[in-house]
Amino acid sequence: MYDKEQLIDFMQLQFGVKVEKKAVGEETVLLYHEELDKKIISEDVMGTLPNPVLFQTYLYSEETEWVVGIAIEAKTNKPLFLVCLKGGEKVYEKLLSEGERLNE
């Protein structure tokens, strides 16, 4: 799984946002496809994800709330998909390849 340090690097590189480590919340939940928001995860991406899928989420709020979600294959901990929300709107998504790190 990913850690807060990788999240901090990713936010700086991708969005130019400086994140304070102590201000980051995190949660990991197991979700079934019917629980996933289709406005955030397209049908095409949904088709690549196992059912259920583990979602590791990070929350950071300063002026705007940021949510970074990483879909992970529950049995292997293989990262599959990354999505970023800013103020509740999707601003970034990426299918992750084998062994790819958050900030690549």
Side-chain angles (χ1 to χ4, degrees):
M1 291 199 199
Y2 295 104
D3 61 30
K4 289 182 182 180
E5 294 298 329
Q6 288 176 303
L7 173 76
I8 290 167
D9 292 345
F10 171 76
M11 292 296 289
Q12 178 65 44
L13 291 170
Q14 187 64 41
F15 302 108
V17 173
K18 292 186 179 184
V19 174
E20 300 268 339
K21 185 176 182 177
K22 63 183 177 185
V24 176
E26 64 182 304
E27 178 181 27
T28 303
V29 294
L30 188 65
L31 298 171
Y32 290 90
H33 283 195
E34 53 271 4
E35 297 175 287
L36 299 174
D37 189 336
K38 291 176 182 30
K39 294 177 191 166
I40 297 171
I41 302 174
S42 70
E43 288 293 328
D44 290 340
V45 171
M46 192 90 66
T48 69
L49 301 178
N51 192 15
V53 63
L54 195 61
F55 253 91
Q56 182 176 1
T57 58
Y58 293 99
L59 176 66
Y60 176 73
S61 293
E62 194 172 87
E63 294 176 18
T64 304
E65 179 182 76
W66 288 87
V67 178
V68 177
I70 304 161
I72 300 168
E73 207 289 316
K75 293 179 184 177
T76 64
N77 282 335
K78 175 184 170 189
L80 304 169
F81 175 71
L82 170 72
V83 63
C84 300
L85 307 177
K86 178 182 179 184
E89 297 293 321
K90 182 168 52 173
V91 294
Y92 182 86
E93 68 178 358
K94 181 178 182 182
L95 286 170
L96 299 173
S97 60
E98 184 76 31
E100 186 173 0
R101 294 173 51 92
L102 187 62
N103 53 2
E104 290 181 336

